[in-house]
Amino acid sequence: MIVDIFSEDPASNFSPCQKMVDTILSIHKTKGSCEQEDLLSHNFSQEEIDRYWKMANLFAYLDLQEDFNGKNFFRHKKHPR
């Protein structure tokens, strides 16, 4: 499955996916995990979840993991450590 995450506006590329990553990280911090169903109560439609879940969940997973040097693979400005 190929997911088109690019919008027409270059300034908002990855925007829908990044919003989902931020939400997944927020839910994970409060609940300890995040399932697709959790996103429904955070104003994501089922269509958005179907479209972006795999990529957003991967980016969130990478953000939560640390490499051998103790640095994050994927660090987002909104979630510094």
Side-chain angles (χ1 to χ4, degrees):
M1 178 168 120
I2 298 174
V3 178
D4 176 17
I5 60 172
F6 297 103
S7 69
E8 296 297 320
D9 178 10
S12 64
N13 283 353
F14 292 98
S15 183
C17 187
Q18 187 59 56
K19 288 177 187 175
M20 190 173 289
V21 171
D22 293 340
T23 303
I24 291 169
L25 290 171
S26 176
I27 293 170
H28 195 276
K29 286 181 181 183
T30 59
K31 190 178 156 190
S33 66
C34 179
E35 301 298 327
Q36 292 181 23
E37 297 80 27
D38 297 327
L39 297 173
L40 291 170
S41 64
H42 285 83
N43 298 322
F44 287 98
S45 68
Q46 187 62 52
E47 181 181 337
E48 290 171 317
I49 295 169
D50 292 344
R51 187 172 192 183
Y52 300 115
W53 170 257
K54 288 181 182 179
M55 184 172 289
N57 194 45
L58 173 63
F59 284 147
Y61 172 80
L62 292 175
D63 186 75
L64 295 168
Q65 301 305 307
E66 294 185 353
D67 67 9
F68 296 112
N69 295 321
K71 297 179 183 175
N72 287 36
F73 287 113
F74 177 80
R75 186 180 299 248
H76 189 268
K77 292 181 239 174
K78 293 183 182 177
H79 301 283
R81 294 195 185 194

